[in-house]
Amino acid sequence: MAVIQANRMCEDYSQLESGPLGTFAGVYDGHAGSEASKFVSHNLFFNLKNIVSERREVSESVLKKAFSATEEDFLSLVKKQWMNNPQIASVGTCCLAGVLHDGVLFVANAGDSRAVLGRVERGSKRASAVQLSNEHNVNIASVREELYALHPDDSQVVIMKHKCWRVRGLIQVSRSIGDVYLKRAEFQREPLLPKFRLTETFEKPILNSEPEVTVHKLQPEDHFVIFASDGLWEQLSNQEAVDIVHNFPRNGIAKRLLKAALHEAAKKREMRYADLKKIDPGVRRHFHDDITLIIVFIDSHLVSKSPLPPYSIKGGVFPR
């Protein structure tokens, strides 16, 4: 795991869990604050475990229900706090979760983070990149079309602002946990900050929290999975990231991949990596985004064996 802060306050959280359920990896890329991403890091896996216990299975529908339960839990928190802390109605988080269970990899994504598989075919020394998730960012034409279809009477559902497409001119992602001000019209009033209030109200949620789920049966050729926020993929292609992970030792590989992304960010601005490192958070957001990543290595001969011993690792607001 590795994380680098670019915003004045790091808005990303992440976690890696292991136990009877298998291995769980979560990357939560927050926006407008860290409350939603922190909340998800404490509640999504908890909800997933409870639902798996009830259903006695890991499946696409179970993952979607875990996302829905976490969304409802956060909505309850917003209702309790928003009169005293109105900013909580405008925070949200992208949510990328992976579960390796009984030889199957489930990837659930809401937002614009990404999961990429590194696969090495037999007899080959080269790893190929296989993207396991789709981004829900309205700068992608198909995502804009999806929103237009869902909201045919709303001509302003996606507009160009500050040189990029945004939902109602405010946010680039179409799916998230949180962002209740774009899901519940009841929050479109004081004390919500004016910049988040819409000139035209809405009858049905503009954003939604349902993840897109990919189910992949693991093969011996599948060597690792990179789960990362969009800050990484803005700097490196899928193949570039997979090549780095494949060609260097596992020890310290997450930090190495992060450093490669920062070198690329510096190169784009025609500056040295050493000079980029000196820039303070906040100002640094003009050069790159917060970046959070988790690399999970897959040892195929162990995948279907007895469960791993339980452990829990969380990543969040760390200094540079």
Side-chain angles (χ1 to χ4, degrees), residues 197-211:
R197 277 185 247 154
L198 305 176
T199 53
E200 296 180 21
T201 188
F202 53 91
E203 294 183 2
K204 63 179 182 179
I206 300 173
L207 305 187
N208 77 77
S209 63
E210 182 175 300

Side-chain angles (χ1 to χ4, degrees), residues 70-86:
T70 307
E71 170 86 343
E72 289 302 313
D73 291 344
F74 188 70
L75 175 61
S76 296
L77 179 70
V78 173
K79 287 179 176 178
K80 289 177 185 176
Q81 294 188 3
W82 99 289
M83 290 304 294
N84 295 320
N85 179 25

Side-chain angles (χ1 to χ4, degrees), residues 292-311:
T292 294
L293 65 95
I294 299 173
I295 304 169
V296 177
F297 286 93
I298 303 163
D299 291 316
S300 58
H301 66 288
L302 297 175
V303 163
S304 298
K305 303 292 183 183
S306 58
L308 291 168
Y311 64 82

Side-chain angles (χ1 to χ4, degrees), residues 85-296:
N85 179 25
Q87 181 253 357
I88 198 168
S90 59
V91 302
T93 186
C94 298
C95 189
L96 173 65
V99 182
L100 283 85
H101 174 80
D102 197 22
V104 179
L105 172 61
F106 298 84
V107 176
N109 186 50
D112 58 7
S113 296
R114 186 185 302 172
V116 174
L117 175 72
R119 175 180 289 166
V120 182
E121 301 294 341
R122 289 180 182 176
S124 173
K125 293 183 178 180
R126 188 173 183 272
S128 58
V130 181
Q131 188 167 319
L132 296 176
S133 61
N134 295 313
E135 283 101 291
H136 309 117
N137 186 306
V138 293
N139 287 286
I140 300 169
S142 60
V143 178
R144 290 199 299 278
E145 292 302 321
E146 180 183 54
L147 271 184
Y148 291 139
L150 290 170
H151 305 275
D153 299 323
D154 186 352
S155 62
Q156 300 293 305
V157 68
V158 184
I159 60 174
M160 179 70 75
K161 191 172 182 180
H162 304 310
K163 298 182 180 180
C164 65
W165 292 99
R166 296 175 188 269
V167 179
R168 284 291 189 101
L170 292 167
I171 188 171
Q172 294 183 49
V173 294
S174 63
R175 302 191 194 192
S176 67
I177 288 178
D179 296 306
V180 300
Y181 74 111
L182 290 173
K183 296 173 180 176
R184 300 291 183 105
E186 67 198 78
F187 296 103
Q188 279 293 327
R189 60 183 175 87
E190 291 185 347
L192 186 70
L193 293 175
K195 68 177 181 179
F196 295 115
R197 277 185 247 154
L198 305 176
T199 53
E200 296 180 21
T201 188
F202 53 91
E203 294 183 2
K204 63 179 182 179
I206 300 173
L207 305 187
N208 77 77
S209 63
E210 182 175 300
E212 194 169 349
V213 180
T214 302
V215 182
H216 175 78
K217 185 170 177 57
L218 293 172
Q219 306 295 326
E221 295 80 17
D222 300 335
H223 283 210
F224 56 85
V225 186
I226 305 168
F227 299 91
S229 61
D230 66 321
L232 179 77
W233 309 112
E234 286 172 357
Q235 309 300 338
L236 299 174
S237 70
N238 293 353
Q239 191 59 54
E240 286 170 336
V242 163
D243 286 343
I244 290 166
V245 176
H246 178 60
N247 292 325
F248 291 93
R250 290 187 183 185
N251 189 31
I253 192 60
K255 185 176 180 180
R256 182 184 289 274
L257 184 57
L258 187 64
K259 191 174 178 180
L262 296 179
H263 271 283
E264 193 61 33
K267 182 180 174 182
K268 287 178 181 178
R269 299 298 289 268
E270 298 182 342
M271 64 190 302
R272 296 184 305 166
Y273 168 69
D275 293 328
L276 177 64
K277 287 205 302 180
K278 296 174 186 176
I279 299 173
D280 290 331
V283 177
R284 191 146 164 181
R285 182 62 183 87
H286 297 289
F287 297 83
H288 66 84
D289 198 356
D290 294 335
I291 301 174
T292 294
L293 65 95
I294 299 173
I295 304 169
V296 177

